[in-house]
Amino acid sequence: MDPPPPSSAPLLSPAPPPGPGFLDFLLKAVFQRNSKYRVQRMASKAGAALTTYSPAPSRNSRTPIFSDSDVDWVRPDGRGFHQCRPAFFRTGAVNAAAGSAYAEFGNTKVIVSVFGPRESKKAMMYSDVGRLNCSVSYTTFGTSIRGQGSEHKEFSSMLHKALEGAIMLETFPKTTVDVFALVLESGGSDLPVIISCASLALADAGIMMYDLVAGVSVSCLGKNLVIDPMLEEESCQDGSLMLTCLPSRYEVTQLTVTGEWSTANLNEAMQLSLDACSKLAEIMRSCLKEAASGPQD
Amino acid sequence: MREEGEEEMVTPGEMLGKASEVKAGKGAYVADYRNSGILCVFSSLNGLRRTVSPSPDSPDQRPTIEVTGHKAHGAVPEPGSVVIARVTKVMAKTASADIMCVGPKAVQEKFSGIIRQQDVRATEIDRVDMHLSFRPGDIVRALVLSLGDARAYHLSTAKNELGVVSAESTAGATMVPISWTEMQCPLTGQIEQRKVAKVGS
């Protein structure tokens, strides 16, 4: 008598299929003791070996920091988990540049200056769309560790990827727009602040863009999602997600995910960051409008 | 609705109106609103928005919305724009010039331009002597022909109102134009040859 074919949906079958002997006893024991593994059995003769298995994602094996509560973390500055730091933006910080902006999110302070469109270097080949050249550097007093961290070297190309989707490159052919970002103090969540500040500087310089670029990062600490992490939270996070989008066009220009994420957490983090980006864009727009109307008064 | 002449500050990405009701002018573009299928006009610059009414004889009666940047930013040479350039090098068949102004606006950093022998004037273009048309240090008014190559924009002075606008004589004084090929130094009376621009009526 053949055992009935295995059903794929439930993890635990309500009654073990009838069948001879030891193998069946072993299966029953495995199912009852360890619900983590789902076993697929090929229907056929007795004594057929287990051919495939697929482990389900295991629950958090790390001991929680606070064993008697739901939360894994308390934020050092007393913010809620879904609360961002207050944002301060100011444009026109650098007189020599075509456009510039200064951003301060808590302890993270960034200044970005934009030069251009100006002539490309003679060595570059002709291109009928404009070029974007980004450079991110840290001051020597900006971080508490000596030298640049390993991720900071990639920030220049990540900034380039986040901005190039928003700029209309065909409006300045053959020329280059240079974006120089300088991090005066690194207090966590550096790259999203750099990206938001750079898009304000580009708007200040009069470069034609499809929309402002707002960036937000979310950290996963245990099972909690924490938005706009600080330096201490970033150093003990399990995973991080950074999203930059064009808020009023509802398009994402860059999404960077690192570390461990479960699907549910990932979805929730993306929704959270999209919502935060649209709120951040409102603040950026009001800063641009204030800067324009201020000197006229 | 909004009156013509009333101005409002807009930022990049702000929706200015529906594409069925308004046209996108300078500083604005048309795109789909959040994948809904409705085309809308968005702003692409940070500046003041203006509505221009359509001319009464055009078939499309939608007003045009323009956004002008509120800061006077450096301009970029475009084909068809008139520029002011300073000649840096004169060679046998070409002259190099640095573009300083585009239209009425000054540029923030200079662009390189080149005037070829066949673009100096409209007549007898193969018998042009570059050294009798330009000297290093002359200020010329030229027209941008094309983007050229990676190194320089292509400029042309082949019109009456284009050419040398101001030049210094070997004695150091600003010369006075006499005809469309000659300029005279007021100190020494020496006449030097240039391709002179016709200024004024």
Side-chain angles (χ1 to χ4, degrees):
Chain A
M1 191 165 60
D2 282 346
S7 57
S8 57
L11 212 56
L12 278 170
S13 47
F22 176 67
L23 187 59
D24 194 55
F25 169 76
L26 181 65
L27 275 178
K28 201 161 57 167
V30 163
F31 268 127
Q32 285 167 357
R33 192 177 47 211
N34 192 356
S35 61
K36 288 187 186 181
Y37 296 96
R38 177 184 49 177
V39 170
Q40 226 180 32
R41 247 179 50 169
M42 296 303 181
S44 69
K45 40 194 183 306
L50 305 169
T51 48
T52 61
Y53 72 92
S54 49
S58 63
R59 263 171 298 216
N60 204 348
S61 53
R62 198 176 58 142
T63 51
I65 298 173
F66 302 96
S67 52
D68 54 349
S69 71
D70 252 351
V71 297
D72 277 337
W73 187 256
V74 163
R75 302 195 81 166
D77 54 353
R79 282 185 282 154
F81 283 167
H82 294 177
Q83 195 181 352
C84 293
R85 289 176 291 192
F88 173 78
F89 288 106
R90 196 50 59 97
T91 55
V94 176
N95 278 338
S100 59
Y102 170 72
E104 198 175 299
F105 279 52
N107 277 339
T108 304
K109 302 176 176 66
V110 173
I111 191 164
V112 176
S113 39
V114 168
F115 292 89
R118 57 183 181 182
E119 214 171 16
S120 302
K121 291 201 182 8
K122 300 276 199 273
M124 305 232 192
M125 286 184 10
Y126 175 80
S127 83
D128 46 354
V129 289
R131 267 187 271 257
L132 178 65
N133 177 31
C134 295
S135 159
V136 176
S137 56
Y138 277 69
T139 53
T140 48
F141 46 84
T143 50
S144 51
I145 52 171
R146 271 186 72 199
Q148 288 188 337
S150 53
E151 309 140 356
H152 299 173
K153 295 189 187 53
E154 297 180 342
F155 280 178
S156 301
S157 66
M158 291 171 80
L159 176 64
H160 185 279
K161 285 199 193 73
L163 291 178
E164 69 179 348
I167 301 182
M168 294 184 180
L169 291 170
E170 60 272 3
T171 53
F172 49 96
K174 211 173 98 145
T175 51
T176 298
V177 169
D178 289 317
V179 178
F180 296 116
L182 183 66
V183 179
L184 298 167
E185 188 183 340
S186 157
S189 186
D190 294 341
L191 192 56
V193 177
I194 294 173
I195 292 172
S196 312
C197 193
S199 81
L200 266 190
L202 284 167
D204 187 44
I207 311 280
M208 296 181 83
M209 299 197 289
Y210 291 111
D211 194 2
L212 294 176
V213 184
V216 146
S217 74
V218 173
S219 250
C220 178
L221 289 159
K223 42 186 188 312
N224 301 119
L225 288 178
V226 154
I227 202 171
D228 203 11
M230 297 169 55
L231 212 51
E232 302 92 36
E233 295 164 344
E234 275 187 340
S235 56
C236 53
Q237 66 189 0
D238 288 330
S240 105
L241 175 143
M242 186 195 71
L243 184 131
T244 61
C245 72
L246 309 179
S248 64
R249 298 291 309 275
Y250 215 54
E251 289 172 1
V252 173
T253 59
Q254 191 183 35
L255 174 66
T256 308
V257 182
T258 62
E260 266 182 44
W261 285 91
S262 64
T263 317
N265 264 354
L266 199 57
N267 281 331
E268 194 192 333
M270 278 183 61
Q271 285 305 313
L272 208 58
S273 33
L274 278 173
D275 189 44
C277 279
S278 56
K279 298 210 171 75
L280 181 62
E282 294 303 312
I283 301 180
M284 287 163 72
R285 283 191 211 283
S286 63
C287 159
L288 277 176
K289 292 188 179 171
E290 259 178 43
S293 59
Q296 290 170 9
D297 291 341
Chain B
M1 279 308 286
R2 208 158 288 280
E3 303 168 16
E4 185 186 350
E6 199 179 303
E7 294 178 344
E8 187 204 1
M9 190 73 204
V10 290
T11 54
E14 266 188 41
M15 200 184 77
L16 302 174
K18 287 213 185 109
S20 52
E21 293 164 15
V22 290
K23 254 195 326 211
K26 252 177 31 148
Y29 68 97
V30 178
D32 204 359
Y33 182 68
R34 293 197 180 188
N35 293 329
S36 62
I38 306 176
L39 288 176
C40 291
V41 172
F42 295 91
S43 156
S44 64
L45 279 181
N46 177 32
L48 296 168
R49 114 200 213 159
R50 270 189 1 232
T51 313
V52 175
S53 342
S55 55
D57 51 348
S58 70
D60 187 4
Q61 282 296 310
R62 292 176 297 171
T64 306
I65 295 205
E66 283 182 356
V67 182
T68 46
H70 69 291
K71 263 200 203 178
H73 286 290
V76 175
E78 277 166 21
S81 51
V82 173
V83 299
I84 310 277
R86 182 191 292 137
V87 176
T88 50
K89 250 197 316 204
V90 180
M91 294 170 290
K93 295 221 185 281
T94 55
S96 300
D98 285 343
I99 299 175
M100 321 286 286
C101 307
V102 176
K105 282 177 157 188
V107 292
Q108 290 182 331
E109 293 191 29
K110 61 161 185 65
F111 293 92
S112 298
I114 196 168
I115 310 174
R116 293 170 299 176
Q117 183 187 26
Q118 64 263 37
D119 299 323
V120 173
R121 57 176 192 224
T123 56
E124 287 187 336
I125 56 177
D126 47 342
R127 301 216 315 216
V128 169
D129 188 346
M130 295 304 288
H131 295 283
L132 298 180
S133 311
F134 304 112
R135 286 290 167 93
D138 289 355
I139 311 288
V140 301
R141 177 180 290 125
L143 176 77
V144 179
L145 280 179
S146 71
L147 297 176
D149 55 14
R151 283 174 302 208
Y153 290 85
H154 285 176
L155 303 173
S156 157
T157 52
K159 276 198 193 157
N160 286 348
E161 63 269 15
L162 302 175
V164 174
V165 174
S166 161
E168 226 179 57
S169 71
T170 45
T174 308
M175 291 198 287
V176 175
I178 311 177
S179 72
W180 73 287
T181 50
E182 290 173 337
M183 295 180 106
Q184 186 174 31
C185 168
L187 289 181
T188 57
Q190 246 183 340
I191 293 185
E192 295 186 27
Q193 308 238 344
R194 300 281 199 281
K195 196 279 176 188
V196 185
K198 189 173 150 87
V199 178
S201 59

